[in-house]
Each structure stands twice: as structure tokens, then as C-alpha cells.
Amino acid sequence: MKKIVTLSLIVGALCTMFASESAEELATKKCGECHLMGEITKEKLDNMKAPPYWAIAKKARERYENEEDKIKYIIDYALNPSEDKMLFPIETKKKFGVMPSLEGKVTAEEIKIISTYILEKKF
């Protein structure tokens, strides 16, 4: 019985580790070109096209109380962006503009995985 419990814990830990890696890979692949993700380099900072992922997570945390609303907001904004939905100050809006819609480039389920990932990150 002890072996089964131990094996279950190991399998669970491995599944969590791999799920988190695939969420990170998905976020980097789908969002990293514009939103500063992964290793921060001078080149990335110089070529940033949108606020970094951690700033998006911070703004969603400030605006919405529960996780479900934060995730719904990020999904909605990614698929149907508009200036009135932006959570950033006017200076940020002027610098980056309104993000183009990701409809047809990413699914709502993928955005949910990405949103959960960036909201769980501690920075």
C-alpha cells in the first residue's frame, strides 16, 4: 500500500511539472513575441510590442477579485480587444495601442491555460 501511495505522489508531481512546462511553452509560443516572457534581455526590452505578461497579471489581479473573473477578462480581451477594456494607464495605451485580436490564432482554452499560468506566477 505504501508503494502505491508513493508511486501516486510521484506520478502526480511529474504530471504537475510537465503540465506547468507545457503551459509555459504555450504562453511563450503564443504570447512571447509581443509580451515580454522568459529570459529578459536588452534586445527583448528594446523590441517589446506590448506590456510584459507580469504587468497584465498584476492589472487583472487589481481589477478582479476572483480567479475566474481574471481569466474571463484575459480571454475576452485577447479575442475581442478594445481600448475601453484596457486596464493600463493612458501612457501605456499610447505606447502600445490596442492589441490585435488573437481570434483564429489561439483558442479560448489555450488562453485559459496561459491565463492560469501567468496568474499563478509569483513575481
Side-chain angles (χ1 to χ4, degrees), residues 49 77 80-86 92-101:
K49 300 174 190 169
Y77 186 80
N80 306 293
S82 66
E83 187 172 341
D84 62 310
K85 293 179 187 176
M86 291 178 78
T92 306
K93 292 178 184 182
K94 286 180 182 177
K95 180 175 181 173
F96 296 117
V98 176
M99 147 179 179
S101 173

Side-chain angles (χ1 to χ4, degrees), residues 16-58:
T16 302
M17 183 177 78
F18 288 123
S20 132
E21 286 179 354
S22 59
E24 181 178 8
E25 290 170 2
L26 182 63
T28 301
K29 178 181 173 186
K30 299 287 185 172
C31 307
E33 184 179 325
C34 298
H35 297 282
L36 189 60
M37 300 190 95
E39 181 185 352
I40 298 173
T41 64
K42 181 177 178 351
E43 182 181 358
K44 283 184 180 180
L45 287 171
D46 291 344
N47 295 309
M48 223 168 48
K49 300 174 190 169
Y53 79 91
W54 54 264
I56 296 164
K58 179 182 178 198

Side-chain angles (χ1 to χ4, degrees), residues 7-19:
L7 182 59
S8 295
L9 291 172
I10 291 170
V11 169
L14 288 172
C15 288
T16 302
M17 183 177 78
F18 288 123

